[in-house]
Amino acid sequence: MEELISLKKGHKKLSRLKIIQRMVFITLGALLMATGLEIFLIPNQVIDGGITGISIMLSHITGIKLGLFLFVLNLPFIYLGYKQMGKTFSLSAIYGIIMLSLFASFFHPIPPFTEDILLATIFGGIFLGIGVGLVIRNGGALDGTEVLSIVISKRVPFSVGEIVMFINFFILGSAGFVYTWDRAMYSILAYVIAAKAIDIVADGLEASKSVWIISEEADIIGDTINDRLGRGVTYLKGEGAYTGDDKKVIFCIINRLEESKLTSILEELDPSAFLAIADITEVRGGRFKKRSIH
């Protein structure tokens, strides 16, 4: 009994450690994104895509602080994320957006590091992409466009990346009316650089992952994945080469934003479970589309 109590305490400590780790990386991501925006891009009239880009232009037109627009405009999409992806994701996203708004307000009075438009575009895009990538990798989001695109992708035959690009085509193009057309082109360059940086850090927003799990608690883990992530699972029969014991293997497909939540499920139900996750370049057929969770 004492060993069981000690084990449970260990799980709680691990859970708290994971929460702290997630908050640290989301904070760091928000800090880097705010640096890219307020220290490099915005002073040189270069914008980002998504809700962030809309917020930058509204701030420029109205004179109201950027941080306020970032917070208010993202709230509806955070609620949408809560309905589609659960409480953990929405809380992480809210925390990230609050930190981004605070850092953006803090950095706003600081003079830009450079007035060279090309250098500002390159380094601003790099800081932006690394920051967003860190947040996505740790189960959060800093811009509601990604959340909206994930939801839309479930209903139309287009990928998340294609939907994000379509939305940002209009947002980045609008920079030509608010600023100048050369600034709009620099904004597109900054967006491309940021997108590449996100790919490096987070392995791509829309990347699908194949998941293989071997556990003595396979049934309850499979049911939990189905309930919490809305993903169907397949049970495969396996045999241990050394022991000859029968093994039940769980196979399923998830996306990048769900990876953090999946590992949390395993830590909760069976920390000793074998887990293998691999990138998938394409998924077709079957029942990969995520069912809605109520």
Side-chain angles (χ1 to χ4, degrees):
M1 179 63 72
E2 290 179 357
E3 292 179 356
L4 182 59
I5 293 173
S6 176
L7 185 61
K8 287 182 177 179
K9 287 182 178 178
H11 287 175
K12 287 181 180 179
K13 288 181 180 178
L14 181 63
S15 178
R16 289 173 185 168
L17 182 62
K18 276 290 184 182
I19 292 173
I20 293 172
Q21 180 182 353
R22 174 176 293 187
M23 291 177 67
V24 168
F25 279 109
I26 290 177
T27 302
L28 178 59
L31 174 65
L32 290 172
M33 182 173 179
T35 301
L37 290 174
E38 291 287 2
I39 303 299
F40 291 100
L41 298 182
I42 295 175
N44 290 283
Q45 297 184 339
V46 178
I47 72 168
D48 183 30
I51 301 302
T52 304
I54 295 173
S55 299
I56 292 171
M57 289 187 286
L58 288 176
S59 176
H60 175 77
I61 294 170
T62 63
I64 299 173
K65 288 186 177 181
L66 172 64
L68 181 61
F69 282 114
L70 287 173
F71 180 74
V72 172
L73 295 184
N74 275 299
L75 282 180
F77 300 99
I78 299 305
Y79 176 74
L80 184 63
Y82 169 74
K83 301 294 288 185
Q84 293 291 324
M85 285 173 276
K87 182 179 178 181
T88 301
F89 172 80
S90 60
L91 288 176
S92 298
I94 288 173
Y95 175 75
I97 290 169
I98 288 174
M99 295 308 298
L100 174 62
S101 301
L102 292 175
F103 284 133
S105 299
F106 177 77
F107 288 152
H108 185 69
I110 300 176
F113 282 4
T114 178
E115 294 182 359
D116 185 307
I117 183 65
L118 183 58
L119 285 176
T121 299
I122 293 172
F123 282 92
I126 291 173
F127 273 92
L128 199 69
I130 294 175
V132 173
L134 281 174
V135 173
I136 291 175
R137 190 178 182 87
N138 287 275
L142 291 176
D143 191 288
T145 308
E146 288 90 349
V147 179
L148 178 63
S149 299
I150 290 170
V151 174
I152 293 175
S153 69
K154 298 178 182 6
R155 296 169 172 80
V156 298
F158 299 103
S159 69
V160 175
E162 289 169 340
I163 296 169
V164 169
M165 184 67 74
F166 180 78
I167 294 172
N168 284 330
F169 173 80
F170 292 99
I171 295 174
L172 295 171
S174 300
F177 296 99
V178 177
Y179 301 112
T180 58
W181 289 109
D182 66 328
R183 289 304 192 263
M185 289 185 281
Y186 277 116
S187 297
I188 294 173
L189 177 60
Y191 171 73
V192 171
I193 293 171
K196 292 299 181 183
I198 292 173
D199 288 341
I200 294 171
V201 176
D203 294 333
L205 177 64
E206 64 175 314
S208 297
K209 305 282 183 179
S210 63
V211 178
W212 302 81
I213 303 169
I214 302 176
S215 169
E216 298 298 326
E217 306 293 337
D219 290 327
I220 188 171
I221 290 174
D223 291 340
T224 305
I225 291 173
N226 192 277
D227 291 337
R228 295 190 190 177
L229 299 185
R231 294 295 184 190
V233 302
T234 299
Y235 294 118
L236 307 174
K237 292 182 178 180
E239 179 181 341
Y242 181 74
T243 63
D245 295 339
D246 291 334
K247 301 287 185 181
K248 181 176 277 190
V249 182
I250 301 172
F251 175 77
C252 67
I253 305 294
I254 61 173
N255 64 37
R256 162 58 66 184
L257 291 175
E258 294 166 339
E259 183 177 345
S260 176
K261 194 165 186 177
L262 175 67
T263 55
S264 298
I265 289 173
L266 288 185
E267 288 168 1
E268 175 187 339
L269 299 178
D270 185 5
S272 63
F274 172 83
L275 170 66
I277 300 177
D279 292 327
I280 296 179
T281 56
E282 186 174 5
V283 179
R284 291 188 181 185
R287 299 176 59 189
F288 174 65
K289 288 295 184 181
K290 183 175 178 179
R291 66 175 178 81
S292 54
I293 303 174
H294 300 287

